[in-house]
Amino acid sequence: MEESKKTLYSAIQPTNNLTIGNYLGAIKNWVALQNDYNCFYAVANMHAITVRQNPAELRQRTLSLAALFIACGVDPDKCALYVQSNVSAHAELCWVLNTFTHVGEMERMTQFKDKSLKHADNINMGLMDYPVLMAADILLYQASVVPIGKDQTQHLEIARDIAQRFNNAYTPTFTVPQGVYLKAAANICDLLNPAKKMSKSAENANGSIFLSDDRDTIIRKFKRAVTDSEACVKYDPENKPGVSNLLSIYSVFTDKSIAEAEAEFAGKGYGDFKLAVGEAVADKLAPIQAEQAKLLADKSYLEGVLKSGAERAAHTANKTVNKVYKKIGFYQL
């Protein structure tokens, strides 16, 4: 990895199926960013177990997600692509950072409150400690850049606070990360409720287009998408949220401007419009799905990529942990 480039860290959990919103907002950006930064991209399986997982399914989803990243264009030669649990330094640094984190800070975290309500039968310490592990993820690699969505601002702020707290207690040890709010190509909303963001954990799966959906499923979901009674394909998010959402999706998947898309469907009904949006998305996802299937069929290649990525990640991560252990007074052999 090039010394002159800044370091960037990002990760996605192998839980639920990713949507086209995840693709446009995260993975597509990962592909673009790998040319400009030293990138560490992880399958965050340690974060995933704060909610109970089926072990066999978690293993399968981990490999499947790694294959998806590569199928979308993430290049293992340009970045360290690895599985979080394969680099033990994540857990090691998390333990140390716990001693620089206050209980009150964790109890105030929005995600902890939300997940505690959703999983009232399993409010575990991992659920509360999630942001400290996330801080360890970032600080291990001395990442100066972290691409985040607005819902992750609180987590990044805690990571910055912990880094500064440690740096002030000893000598500067961690790079204090900056968040980069990536402008998504479009704000992708739920097809059945365009007031909500499209989510991989939505209660009604028909409102989300998953990257694993086959062509027939994609077209069926778009045919059921909410529009309005005007029968006019026009971009007006306030008054026509459903149609505007479909126009946004069509625009990014065809590389056409909103104005070009509006002109294309002038005078046409919503049936034709929704079918065209579905076909555009299906056409774009088909080669990604085919490449992912090909990679999953070659398990030895995939495992080789992840082993190499973990070794590259561990090389950097272990240097940070050794530095931290020395600072806090751990006796090292």
Side-chain angles (χ1 to χ4, degrees), residues 20 186-192 194 198 207 209 218-219 221-228 233-237 240-254 258 261-262 265 269-278 280-281:
I20 55 172
N187 183 26
I188 306 299
C189 299
D190 190 284
L191 298 183
L192 300 179
M198 188 178 286
I209 301 295
I218 291 168
I219 289 170
K221 286 182 179 181
F222 274 110
K223 281 182 176 177
R224 293 179 179 176
V226 167
T227 49
D228 52 50
V233 179
K234 182 185 169 190
Y235 190 76
D236 182 354
K240 297 169 71 69
V243 172
S244 299
N245 184 40
L246 293 175
L247 270 169
S248 293
I249 294 169
Y250 186 75
S251 169
V252 292
F253 276 94
T254 57
I258 294 289
E262 284 178 328
F265 295 103
Y270 285 160
D272 290 342
F273 172 50
K274 290 197 277 190
L275 177 61
V277 180
V281 173

Side-chain angles (χ1 to χ4, degrees), residues 4 10 19 82 93 124 143 149 164 180 195 209 226 247 274 287 293 303 313:
S4 59
S10 196
T19 69
Y82 69 101
L93 184 59
N124 57 72
Q164 288 165 335
V180 176
I209 301 295
V226 167
L247 270 169
K274 290 197 277 190
E303 288 185 343

Side-chain angles (χ1 to χ4, degrees), residues 30-214:
W30 282 18
V31 176
L33 292 165
Q34 68 187 351
N35 296 313
D36 301 320
Y37 296 92
N38 285 328
C39 295
F40 291 87
Y41 293 145
V43 178
N45 61 337
M46 291 169 71
H47 285 287
I49 63 167
T50 57
V51 175
R52 290 282 174 265
Q53 303 291 333
N54 175 302
E57 203 172 279
L58 180 60
R59 279 189 286 272
Q60 185 274 325
R61 284 186 184 277
T62 298
L63 266 188
S64 184
L65 186 56
L68 179 65
F69 291 159
I70 300 169
C72 288
V74 171
D75 186 344
D77 292 329
K78 291 181 179 178
C79 62
L81 176 61
Y82 69 101
V83 176
Q84 187 186 25
S85 64
N86 289 338
V87 179
S88 60
H90 285 265
E92 293 172 54
L93 184 59
C94 180
W95 178 249
V96 175
L97 297 185
N98 275 327
T99 66
F100 288 83
T101 309
H102 308 307
V103 174
E105 289 177 310
M106 296 297 96
E107 289 175 331
R108 287 193 295 273
M109 297 299 284
T110 304
Q111 192 181 56
F112 173 66
K113 291 176 184 174
D114 291 347
K115 286 205 170 183
S116 295
L117 289 172
K118 281 185 187 172
H119 305 280
D121 58 334
N122 183 26
I123 304 173
N124 57 72
M125 283 308 299
L127 204 59
M128 181 183 277
D129 208 33
Y130 186 105
V132 185
L133 178 57
M134 189 179 281
D137 298 339
I138 298 164
L139 301 180
L140 269 177
Y141 302 102
Q142 305 295 342
S144 54
V145 178
V146 184
I148 56 171
K150 289 208 164 33
D151 56 340
Q152 294 170 310
T153 302
Q154 213 179 17
H155 286 152
L156 183 68
E157 285 306 315
I158 282 289
R160 288 172 53 81
D161 289 346
I162 294 170
Q164 288 165 335
R165 209 171 280 160
F166 191 97
N167 288 349
N168 291 336
Y170 300 97
T171 50
T173 306
F174 296 118
T175 299
V176 179
Q178 295 288 334
V180 176
Y181 294 98
L182 297 170
K183 190 173 184 333
N187 183 26
I188 306 299
C189 299
D190 190 284
L191 298 183
L192 300 179
N193 183 1
K196 284 184 178 178
K197 190 171 81 169
M198 188 178 286
S199 170
K200 63 178 185 171
S201 55
E203 286 181 20
N204 189 340
N206 287 314
S208 297
I209 301 295
F210 300 108
L211 298 184
S212 57
D213 282 346
D214 61 35

Side-chain angles (χ1 to χ4, degrees), residues 71-72 215 280-294:
C72 288
R215 187 179 192 85
V281 173
D283 287 346
K284 196 82 167 183
L285 295 188
I288 292 173
Q289 292 168 344
E291 183 62 20
Q292 183 190 25
K294 185 177 155 192

